[in-house]
Amino acid sequence: MRISLDWLKDYVKIDRDLSALISKLDMIGLLVEDWEERDSDVILEIETYANRPDTLGHLGIAREIAAVLGLNLKEQNWPLIEIEQETSDLIDVQIWDENLCARYCGIIVKNLKVGPSPDWLKKRIEAMGLNPINNVVDVTNYVLFSTAQPIHAFDLDKIAGNKIIVRKAGESKTLRSLEDKNIALSPEMLVIADEEKPVALAGVIGGEESAVFEKTQNIFIESAYFDPVSVRKTSKLTGIFTDASYRFERGADISFPPQGALMAASLLTQMGGEATKEIVDVFPKPRKNKTVILRHKRIFELIGLEIDEKFTYRTLSRLGFQVEIQQEGTWQVLVPHFRIDVEREADLIEEITRFYGYDKIPATFPPLRELEPSLDKNRKRVNKLRQLLFSLGFDEVLNFSFSDPEEEASFKTKRKPIEIRNPVSSKASILRTTLITGLLENILWNRNRGAEGIHIFEVGNIYFWEKESSREQARIALATTGLIGSTQWQKKSKETDFFHMKGTLESLMSDLRYEPFSFQEKDHAFFEKGHSLALLFKEEIVGYFGLLKKNLLDSYSLDDAVWAAELNLSMLFGKKPQSFQHVPVDRFPSITRDVSFIVNRSITYQEIKEVIERLSIPHLKTFDLYDRFSGASIPEDKVSLSLRFVYRNPQKTLLAEEVDSLQQKIINVLKKEFNFQLREGGTEVPSKVRSKKK
Amino acid sequence: MKDLKAKIAELKKKFNSVSARVKDEKSLQEVRNTYLSRKRGELNLLFEEMNALKPEKKSQAGQMINSLKSYIQERLEKLKKEIAVKERPVRKIDLTLPGEKGYCGAPHPVVLFQQEIEEIFLSMGFSIEEGPEVETDYYNFEALNFPPHHPARDDWDTLYITDDLLLRTHTSPVQIRAMEKRKPPIRIIVPGRVYRRETSDPTHLPMFYQVEGLVVDEGITFANLKGTLERFIKTLFYEKIKIRFRPSFFPFTEPSAEVDIECIVCGGEDEKCRICGGSGWKEILGSGMVDPQVLKNVNIDPEKYSGFAFGLGVDRTAMFAYQIPDMRYFYENDLRFIRQFALK
């Protein structure tokens, strides 16, 4: 809210310098966001709140300043030049809907010459950042910015039948606006009508046909109280937001309309008009002031500080509250009509604390009472997983939850997306059903900026409809493309590939002790056929990974291969990981045997693995593939594999001879099953890691 | 005989002083030749001298010379090892070549900052609570004392899914869910994504992160709110930071306070400061005493219990703390930006 310092001085004597005033205003919660000097005046930009419509005018701000400085508001005097005619003889005001219009006041100013405003008024209007228009419009704006009471002026001679009827639009379909447009009315909207038709949208805007123009002579001034919800709905439906609707929808001061009408009429009579006698005041159900009980001890209980009763009394009185002391420590407080925000004891306590000064309240720590234990294992797991991925060279990204429905459709997630009814843009009109789309955008962004290797992950939710209810599922997605690491003089970088992703997922599962897990060859909508695996834990698919389909990459203009993975963390974390237990370290040396052989390409590693596992060789602790080779020295349909076997007996030192015979057994079976040839040098002779005995 | 004994002693003394000066293989060989050479070695000369002795003296002298011999041999052997260690051939390397760089991924700054915030509250005995992002109007607004059609809702521009479902505009609905679920004392923080119907610009985003806090117990006061938040801010920034509590309005708290901290960039010295606009203050938290109506909405007796709540924007505060000029950087996910936070 723009506030002119000069204008404030009409209401309250301000003897502080500007910075002292600003810090007082900040202290009571009227934050001065900005200020500027303007001619001899100072314009303050003050933050106001939705519950304090009384501060949407200079009077309200002045009232707060008076209270904080301990001053009284200046008396206002609004003299009228009157003619011998009663207002009610010239106009008939009727409220047909008391719920939507609780009070309607009016007065007539005759024989006015519409023209430019006097300089003092122009200056006030300009201080509000508006252009002066004419004396009538400027006076209505002046009253609004002074008192927060919206005023409307009609050309009396255009009011058919000398009737002002406040009613719902009903059958009336349109109102012609000042911009010569038709405002479509709906039946529930409250309008001001004359005998024939609506002449204004109540509390929002006036119509063209009854508007004051340069030849207008006689004016009907409206100063009313309209229902906040009704004004707000009308504003929203018509898309018309005005200074008047802004105040009415927050709640005007129901006691103020006569004063507002008087102010406007008084000013216009000073500019040559003549007012009719007696303000018309239709107020079917006068309202009593709210009363609130204040128990003084509650201030201490809620604030943690004893505040002197005298201070409390003084503050409330200065703010316009009437305090009646009922009994010791319990007061009955009468709330002024302009304070629509004060309804309960807590509201009064805020008023007292606000003026006492938040800075004077001590800072103490709350008692640490025992709570229901809350163990958030998932957070710990997510964190562990993040740390692991950092160590593996993956960077973390965060993407918006929004997604482009077209993009999303090409991914065919089969999940029913949640649509936003009023999206910021059509490209962000649904919630994501996969995290991969975001990762691809990130890859594109970084590719275009020269990144050679991009290895990223995101932990976040996806969203979808499951039957009638919305579901949020925690996921992790990873993507890897290009070079891993930078080439250094003694370490060359290498290209990422399927097995980089596979290894990452293996580490991830083992690190969280989700073991044993397994992989299964499975096609998936995101991945090239034959280039994807499902990751399983306890017989359920936790997620998929693989080489992203060419056409998906094409839609992001990405040329290079991207391997991606997406796992369902909600599901995984719902399962129990392997419990942690210490395993005794080997007390006896192990014996290692390497073997290299040539085998048909068509035989998978899994097949070989299964055969070896099925043998259940005693003391065989582990076996691993440590080399795989194909090339000139080997027929094209074959491949050379090198396996390393580690034997160990926990009870005693193994003898080389024992191991040799076990190893031979494996070799014999493999020979028989896969028809393999031992490679030269890849040997039946124990390899370089020998038992000491040999 | 006496003469020979003295000679042996002298020779040992001499050997000791000579061998102490042995530095390398070459001087070691010289010493060895001097004493142990089969031809003219000092020890051989002694043996020759011994041969000239009477037989009864001979064996005693022989023992003495042999003892010296083995002393010298041992000593030389030891020296040989020492020299071998010293002179082991080491290839000269260019020590100025660059060291091998490891590579580690970086955390996203918003997650990083959120965790810093969480850890401070965890250390103060808070626990972490989460709630849905797709919320009902009831939890997001009504239960928090926003009546339908109230202009206060304008400050929380909302993305709607249906008449009743929306994307939560703050993490405050989790306050309600938590209070429905458990009895006081309650001491929680709620981190998470929130949404506003806003077009992205340097200081606004349609989605960002918030951390909400709630404490409900018997006898909780505004002073407790101040104590808790001051402790938090001082830990997050620095001990001597200036903090200001200023009255404000939130439908779900009464009294309400906004918390400002001194501008860590200009300290109020720069009238054109990009961060604080010259005021010297930066708004960082919204807070207040839980509105009695909110407590009633979840069947907690406001006469018996009281509480405070607060909320802060993670992105916005991270922006301030790390002096990031544009909020959109967080969601561009430019790795040159993100990787800087590996250093944090």
Short mmCIF file of all heavy atoms in Angstrom, two decimals, chain B residues 109-134:
data_model
loop_
_atom_site.label_atom_id
_atom_site.label_comp_id
_atom_site.label_asym_id
_atom_site.label_seq_id
_atom_site.Cartn_x
_atom_site.Cartn_y
_atom_site.Cartn_z
N PRO B 109 22.71 -28.67 -4.69
CA PRO B 109 22.79 -27.70 -3.60
C PRO B 109 21.52 -27.61 -2.74
O PRO B 109 21.62 -27.37 -1.54
CB PRO B 109 23.05 -26.37 -4.31
CG PRO B 109 22.80 -26.61 -5.76
CD PRO B 109 23.05 -28.06 -5.99
N VAL B 110 20.37 -27.79 -3.35
CA VAL B 110 19.14 -27.68 -2.57
C VAL B 110 19.05 -28.85 -1.57
O VAL B 110 18.69 -28.66 -0.40
CB VAL B 110 17.89 -27.63 -3.47
CG1 VAL B 110 16.63 -27.74 -2.66
CG2 VAL B 110 17.90 -26.33 -4.27
N VAL B 111 19.41 -30.04 -2.02
CA VAL B 111 19.39 -31.20 -1.12
C VAL B 111 20.42 -31.00 0.00
O VAL B 111 20.15 -31.23 1.17
CB VAL B 111 19.69 -32.51 -1.88
CG1 VAL B 111 19.61 -33.70 -0.93
CG2 VAL B 111 18.73 -32.68 -3.04
N LEU B 112 21.57 -30.52 -0.43
CA LEU B 112 22.66 -30.27 0.52
C LEU B 112 22.22 -29.29 1.61
O LEU B 112 22.39 -29.53 2.80
CB LEU B 112 23.83 -29.68 -0.26
CG LEU B 112 25.13 -29.50 0.47
CD1 LEU B 112 25.81 -30.86 0.57
CD2 LEU B 112 26.03 -28.55 -0.29
N PHE B 113 21.61 -28.20 1.17
CA PHE B 113 21.22 -27.16 2.12
C PHE B 113 20.07 -27.65 3.00
O PHE B 113 20.03 -27.38 4.20
CB PHE B 113 20.82 -25.89 1.36
CG PHE B 113 20.86 -24.66 2.21
CD1 PHE B 113 22.07 -24.17 2.66
CD2 PHE B 113 19.70 -24.02 2.59
CE1 PHE B 113 22.12 -23.04 3.46
CE2 PHE B 113 19.74 -22.89 3.38
CZ PHE B 113 20.95 -22.39 3.82
N GLN B 114 19.17 -28.38 2.39
CA GLN B 114 18.06 -28.93 3.17
C GLN B 114 18.59 -29.84 4.28
O GLN B 114 18.10 -29.81 5.41
CB GLN B 114 17.12 -29.71 2.24
CG GLN B 114 15.92 -30.28 2.98
CD GLN B 114 15.03 -31.05 2.06
OE1 GLN B 114 14.62 -30.57 1.01
NE2 GLN B 114 14.70 -32.26 2.44
N GLN B 115 19.60 -30.61 3.96
CA GLN B 115 20.15 -31.51 4.97
C GLN B 115 20.85 -30.74 6.09
O GLN B 115 20.79 -31.13 7.24
CB GLN B 115 21.11 -32.50 4.32
CG GLN B 115 20.34 -33.50 3.48
CD GLN B 115 21.19 -34.66 3.03
OE1 GLN B 115 22.40 -34.55 2.97
NE2 GLN B 115 20.55 -35.76 2.71
N GLU B 116 21.49 -29.63 5.71
CA GLU B 116 22.11 -28.81 6.76
C GLU B 116 21.04 -28.33 7.73
O GLU B 116 21.22 -28.35 8.95
CB GLU B 116 22.82 -27.59 6.14
CG GLU B 116 24.18 -27.93 5.57
CD GLU B 116 24.96 -26.68 5.15
OE1 GLU B 116 24.84 -25.64 5.82
OE2 GLU B 116 25.67 -26.77 4.14
N ILE B 117 19.93 -27.90 7.17
CA ILE B 117 18.82 -27.41 7.99
C ILE B 117 18.29 -28.55 8.87
O ILE B 117 18.12 -28.40 10.08
CB ILE B 117 17.70 -26.85 7.09
CG1 ILE B 117 18.18 -25.59 6.38
CG2 ILE B 117 16.44 -26.56 7.89
CD1 ILE B 117 17.28 -25.11 5.27
N GLU B 118 18.06 -29.69 8.24
CA GLU B 118 17.53 -30.83 8.98
C GLU B 118 18.44 -31.22 10.15
O GLU B 118 17.96 -31.48 11.25
CB GLU B 118 17.40 -32.05 8.05
CG GLU B 118 16.24 -31.94 7.08
CD GLU B 118 16.26 -33.04 6.02
OE1 GLU B 118 17.09 -33.98 6.14
OE2 GLU B 118 15.48 -32.95 5.09
N GLU B 119 19.73 -31.23 9.88
CA GLU B 119 20.65 -31.68 10.93
C GLU B 119 20.60 -30.77 12.15
O GLU B 119 20.69 -31.24 13.27
CB GLU B 119 22.07 -31.75 10.37
CG GLU B 119 22.33 -33.10 9.72
CD GLU B 119 23.49 -33.06 8.75
OE1 GLU B 119 24.41 -32.24 8.96
OE2 GLU B 119 23.44 -33.83 7.76
N ILE B 120 20.44 -29.48 11.91
CA ILE B 120 20.36 -28.56 13.05
C ILE B 120 19.13 -28.88 13.90
O ILE B 120 19.22 -29.00 15.12
CB ILE B 120 20.32 -27.09 12.57
CG1 ILE B 120 21.61 -26.77 11.83
CG2 ILE B 120 20.11 -26.15 13.75
CD1 ILE B 120 21.59 -25.43 11.11
N PHE B 121 18.01 -29.09 13.23
CA PHE B 121 16.80 -29.39 14.00
C PHE B 121 16.85 -30.77 14.64
O PHE B 121 16.36 -30.97 15.75
CB PHE B 121 15.55 -29.21 13.14
CG PHE B 121 15.20 -27.76 12.93
CD1 PHE B 121 15.36 -27.17 11.70
CD2 PHE B 121 14.77 -26.98 13.99
CE1 PHE B 121 15.06 -25.82 11.52
CE2 PHE B 121 14.46 -25.64 13.83
CZ PHE B 121 14.61 -25.06 12.58
N LEU B 122 17.45 -31.72 13.94
CA LEU B 122 17.59 -33.05 14.54
C LEU B 122 18.41 -32.95 15.84
O LEU B 122 18.08 -33.58 16.84
CB LEU B 122 18.26 -34.02 13.57
CG LEU B 122 17.40 -34.46 12.38
CD1 LEU B 122 18.22 -35.27 11.38
CD2 LEU B 122 16.19 -35.27 12.83
N SER B 123 19.43 -32.11 15.80
CA SER B 123 20.27 -31.96 16.99
C SER B 123 19.51 -31.27 18.12
O SER B 123 19.89 -31.35 19.27
CB SER B 123 21.54 -31.19 16.65
OG SER B 123 21.26 -29.81 16.55
N MET B 124 18.43 -30.57 17.78
CA MET B 124 17.61 -29.94 18.81
C MET B 124 16.44 -30.84 19.23
O MET B 124 15.52 -30.40 19.89
CB MET B 124 17.07 -28.60 18.31
CG MET B 124 18.14 -27.54 18.12
SD MET B 124 17.45 -25.87 18.04
CE MET B 124 17.13 -25.69 16.33
N GLY B 125 16.49 -32.09 18.82
CA GLY B 125 15.47 -33.04 19.26
C GLY B 125 14.21 -33.07 18.43
O GLY B 125 13.19 -33.57 18.86
N PHE B 126 14.27 -32.51 17.23
CA PHE B 126 13.12 -32.60 16.33
C PHE B 126 13.20 -33.92 15.56
O PHE B 126 14.28 -34.48 15.39
CB PHE B 126 13.14 -31.46 15.32
CG PHE B 126 12.69 -30.13 15.86
CD1 PHE B 126 13.47 -29.43 16.78
CD2 PHE B 126 11.48 -29.57 15.46
CE1 PHE B 126 13.07 -28.20 17.28
CE2 PHE B 126 11.07 -28.35 15.95
CZ PHE B 126 11.86 -27.65 16.87
N SER B 127 12.05 -34.39 15.09
CA SER B 127 12.11 -35.53 14.18
C SER B 127 11.51 -35.10 12.84
O SER B 127 10.89 -34.06 12.74
CB SER B 127 11.36 -36.73 14.75
OG SER B 127 10.03 -36.39 15.01
N ILE B 128 11.75 -35.92 11.84
CA ILE B 128 11.35 -35.55 10.48
C ILE B 128 10.06 -36.26 10.10
O ILE B 128 9.90 -37.44 10.34
CB ILE B 128 12.48 -35.87 9.48
CG1 ILE B 128 13.68 -34.97 9.78
CG2 ILE B 128 12.01 -35.69 8.05
CD1 ILE B 128 14.91 -35.26 8.97
N GLU B 129 9.17 -35.49 9.52
CA GLU B 129 7.86 -36.01 9.13
C GLU B 129 7.66 -35.65 7.65
O GLU B 129 8.14 -34.63 7.20
CB GLU B 129 6.81 -35.30 10.00
CG GLU B 129 5.43 -35.85 9.94
CD GLU B 129 5.18 -37.03 10.87
OE1 GLU B 129 5.92 -37.17 11.86
OE2 GLU B 129 4.26 -37.79 10.58
N GLU B 130 6.94 -36.52 6.95
CA GLU B 130 6.66 -36.21 5.55
C GLU B 130 5.18 -36.34 5.25
O GLU B 130 4.45 -36.95 6.02
CB GLU B 130 7.46 -37.14 4.63
CG GLU B 130 8.92 -36.72 4.53
CD GLU B 130 9.77 -37.69 3.73
OE1 GLU B 130 9.32 -38.83 3.50
OE2 GLU B 130 10.87 -37.29 3.34
N GLY B 131 4.77 -35.76 4.14
CA GLY B 131 3.36 -35.84 3.77
C GLY B 131 3.21 -35.73 2.27
O GLY B 131 4.18 -35.44 1.56
N PRO B 132 1.98 -35.96 1.79
CA PRO B 132 1.77 -35.97 0.33
C PRO B 132 1.90 -34.58 -0.30
O PRO B 132 1.60 -33.57 0.33
CB PRO B 132 0.34 -36.48 0.19
CG PRO B 132 -0.31 -36.17 1.49
CD PRO B 132 0.76 -36.24 2.53
N GLU B 133 2.34 -34.59 -1.56
CA GLU B 133 2.45 -33.34 -2.31
C GLU B 133 1.13 -33.01 -2.99
O GLU B 133 0.79 -31.85 -3.18
CB GLU B 133 3.56 -33.45 -3.36
CG GLU B 133 4.93 -33.61 -2.73
CD GLU B 133 6.00 -34.00 -3.74
OE1 GLU B 133 5.99 -33.47 -4.86
OE2 GLU B 133 6.83 -34.86 -3.40
N VAL B 134 0.40 -34.06 -3.38
CA VAL B 134 -0.95 -33.84 -3.90
C VAL B 134 -1.86 -33.86 -2.68
O VAL B 134 -2.01 -34.89 -2.03
CB VAL B 134 -1.33 -34.94 -4.92
CG1 VAL B 134 -2.77 -34.75 -5.38
CG2 VAL B 134 -0.39 -34.91 -6.11
#
